[in-house]
Amino acid sequence: MAVGKNVIMDLDVIIIGGGSAGYAAARTAVSEFTKRGVNPKGRVALIEGASQLGGLCILRGCMPTKALLESSHRYRAIREAEKFGLLNPSASPNADRIWKRKDDLIRGFAEHRIHQLTQGVFTFIRGKASFINSHQLQVESTDGISRLQAKAFVIATGSEIHWPSIPGLREADPLTSDAALERSHIPQSLIVLGGGAVALEFAQFYHELGTEVTLLQRSDQIARDFDVDIAAELEAALQADGIKVCKGVELISIENTPNGKRVTFEHQNARRELIAEEIFHGLGRQPAISGLNLEAASIEMKGGRVLVNAHQQTNQSHIFAAGDVTGEERVVHVAVRAGEIAGSNAVAVALGESERASMPWKSLSMAVIFTSPELARVGFRERDLIQNRVPYLKATYPFNDHGKSIIHGAEYGIVKILAEKGTGRILGASAVGPMASDLIHEIVPCIYFGATAKDLAAMPHYHPTLAEIWTYPAEEIAAQCP
């Protein structure tokens, strides 16, 4: 829907942002009105100001990056075919075809989301929204400027690339998680800045396709969202593959030279320089709040993110927020659930109801990195238990000593279970190894339903499967509990 100059709309709920969290909020708001016997038509509006519809996950996040990784992982498997008795494998990467496959897949995903946005019961508005005050928005579109007011709002504008103040970084025009998806070029050499999920996945993507990759990490651990032993196992695998990993660096400057892009940094009290054809900026994202004029609505912020409570509610009782803009776990299933909670509570505010829904399964924090081997975790990490002084038991088991994993050719990887001392109740688990992103979901219901290591060890596991590897650390912990 287009809105023009001097148009004033009065609604019950307005959602800003049409990604995973925003669409979930709009869909839920419509459903909540309907459940109460209230016609939702004309009560809910969703505003999207991006040039492309679909949201971060579909357009520039989860789906396109995993589509690219699937191609590089398959190429790696072909190159390793001789290990499995398959002689003279022949294949070479074609960048144009790899990116075209990604584009074709994303186009289908985006078209589905566009249909959801434009054919929904809620009013869909294209334009850039900014707060005038805590109950009114200004929306600027190609058709002019309009003013909207509502009883409740949901902010779900997602995240954007963070640009730290490193001299020359922007001027070097580095690859980012956004730019790399548009440039179908495989550089000869690449310096990756950062050691988080995005940096690690793109580092391995390019390396598997033949790029010489050096990764520079500012802290003393890659994959900082994981326990030290899990991250160290991945690092060992990456180094064995030929990716150079340099940790504990201080980035000083970046510049273009006739021979390539040069990164100057300090490492172990010495100044060093590296030159590569390209640089990948994987130093993080930040909440996308630019232009929202949140100050006009007196919305409380911290570290550039919108602060919310367990009800996804800001300090303004009628304004909610969900997804990456809150700086919480930047994963789709959390964003969707947060959007649903925010949408439900926004309707309650609009109708003058006092009851509020809360975000569930806070103890089921999850993270996955889709490298090879994959990393995955759920629940508490060791650092969480130590910080909260929770007595715990720990057990690990290596993939290279497990039957199905050996058949797969796994050389690196471990699984780890953390359990409450005394009861054996499972508190957390991590995996680095083949199919870790899927294997971790065996532990999710264990934590969700309060199962113990003894329960897990007693559950039947078909042999030979990767999943049965969990029974070994489970048995070790169960033996230490009454």
Side-chain angles (χ1 to χ4, degrees):
M1 174 181 177
V3 288
K5 192 173 182 180
N6 299 322
V7 173
I8 298 177
M9 294 182 66
D10 195 358
L11 300 124
D12 282 346
V13 177
I14 294 177
I15 296 98
I16 310 172
S20 298
Y23 173 69
R27 170 178 48 78
T28 301
V30 168
S31 176
E32 291 295 322
F33 278 121
T34 303
K35 284 194 294 187
R36 290 165 171 80
V38 178
N39 185 352
K41 189 173 182 180
R43 292 179 176 272
V44 180
L46 186 149
I47 304 170
E48 176 57 83
S51 57
Q52 289 181 287
L53 297 180
L56 174 65
C57 175
I58 291 175
L59 297 176
R60 299 182 302 283
C62 326
M63 304 311 288
T65 58
K66 304 313 169 279
L68 292 180
L69 279 168
E70 186 66 25
S71 292
S72 68
H73 290 341
R74 298 251 179 159
Y75 182 52
R76 175 193 181 121
I78 292 171
R79 287 186 289 108
E80 295 178 344
E82 193 169 340
K83 293 181 183 178
F84 300 87
L86 305 174
L87 304 181
N88 299 319
S90 177
S92 59
N94 183 300
D96 289 338
R97 290 190 179 186
I98 291 172
W99 265 261
K100 182 181 183 303
R101 176 180 182 271
K102 178 266 299 179
D103 291 340
D104 290 344
L105 290 171
I106 299 314
R107 189 178 303 110
F109 296 138
E111 286 174 355
H112 177 66
R113 175 54 53 83
I114 291 169
H115 177 79
Q116 291 176 318
L117 290 171
T118 57
Q119 303 301 315
V121 178
F122 51 83
T123 302
F124 179 62
I125 300 171
R126 295 296 301 272
K128 294 187 179 297
S130 60
F131 280 94
I132 300 171
N133 54 52
S134 64
H135 280 279
Q136 291 185 322
L137 292 174
Q138 174 179 288
V139 179
E140 185 177 347
S141 69
T142 55
D143 297 300
I145 297 174
S146 61
R147 178 172 294 194
L148 282 67
Q149 58 188 23
K151 297 173 183 175
F153 297 84
V154 177
I155 303 168
T157 47
S159 65
E160 60 190 5
I161 300 293
H162 168 63
W163 292 90
S165 55
I166 301 170
L169 177 60
R170 281 184 179 271
E171 292 76 8
D173 188 27
L175 291 171
T176 64
S177 56
D178 292 351
L181 297 174
E182 304 301 324
R183 302 184 195 176
S184 58
H185 172 64
I186 303 170
Q188 291 294 313
S189 56
L190 177 71
I191 299 170
V192 175
L193 308 179
V198 171
L200 290 167
E201 288 177 0
F202 273 99
Q204 191 170 66
F205 166 73
Y206 284 110
H207 175 71
E208 288 182 334
L209 295 180
T211 302
E212 181 183 336
V213 175
T214 301
L215 187 144
L216 302 181
Q217 165 69 335
R218 292 173 292 181
S219 72
D220 58 1
Q221 178 189 326
I222 64 170
R224 292 177 60 194
D225 200 30
F226 290 78
D227 281 333
V228 173
D229 53 350
I230 299 297
E233 188 74 6
L234 174 64
E235 182 182 341
L238 295 179
Q239 299 254 36
D241 273 351
I243 295 177
K244 300 172 185 174
V245 179
C246 189
K247 301 175 296 183
V249 308
E250 180 183 349
L251 298 173
I252 296 174
S253 65
I254 298 169
E255 59 184 320
N256 291 310
T257 76
N259 298 320
K261 299 180 180 183
R262 178 166 59 203
V263 178
T264 302
F265 60 99
E266 188 170 304
H267 182 241
Q268 296 178 346
N269 298 318
R271 179 168 289 212
R272 296 181 58 190
E273 293 181 350
L274 287 176
I275 293 180
E277 179 185 339
E278 268 295 355
I279 293 171
F280 184 90
H281 162 25
L283 298 171
R285 301 182 69 88
Q286 63 186 17
I289 58 172
S290 177
L292 286 177
N293 196 22
L294 299 180
E295 299 83 2
S298 300
I299 294 173
E300 188 176 350
M301 308 281 293
K302 183 177 182 181
R305 62 188 179 90
V306 178
L307 287 177
V308 293
N309 61 18
H311 309 299
Q312 301 302 130
Q313 188 176 40
T314 70
N315 61 304
Q316 297 292 329
S317 60
H318 65 292
I319 301 179
F320 301 82
D324 288 4
V325 76
T326 67
E328 296 180 328
E329 285 186 87
R330 292 175 180 173
V331 290
V332 170
H333 74 277
V334 173
V336 170
R337 192 67 183 110
E340 292 169 346
I341 295 296
S344 175
N345 288 334
V347 170
V349 167
L351 296 179
E353 300 172 355
S354 58
E355 188 173 346
R356 299 285 181 272
S358 297
M359 190 68 179
W361 29 262
K362 280 289 185 181
S363 63
L364 275 172
S365 169
M366 296 180 71
V368 173
I369 300 180
F370 291 89
T371 46
S372 178
E374 294 181 339
L375 276 74
R377 67 166 182 81
V378 63
F380 293 107
R381 299 163 296 188
E382 279 198 75
R383 74 184 78 160
D384 303 319
L385 300 177
I386 293 170
Q387 181 178 350
N388 291 289
R389 298 183 179 180
V390 177
Y392 68 95
L393 298 171
K394 174 179 72 173
T396 64
Y397 199 82
F399 275 93
N400 63 11
D401 192 45
H402 173 243
K404 187 61 180 288
S405 305
I406 294 172
I407 292 171
H408 268 267
E411 298 177 9
Y412 293 88
I414 55 174
V415 291
K416 178 169 73 172
I417 295 177
L418 304 172
E420 186 177 50
K421 192 172 184 178
T423 67
R425 182 169 61 91
I426 298 174
L427 301 174
S430 301
V432 51
M435 304 297 291
S437 61
D438 291 301
L439 289 176
I440 201 68
H441 287 84
E442 176 155 345
I443 307 300
V444 173
C446 291
I447 298 177
Y448 189 87
F449 291 107
T452 65
K454 185 176 181 180
D455 294 328
L456 176 57
M459 293 177 189
H461 287 75
Y462 201 89
H463 175 78
T465 61
L466 289 175
E468 66 179 338
I469 194 173
W470 290 115
T471 62
Y472 300 109
E475 288 169 354
E476 182 179 332
I477 290 175
Q480 303 175 60
C481 299

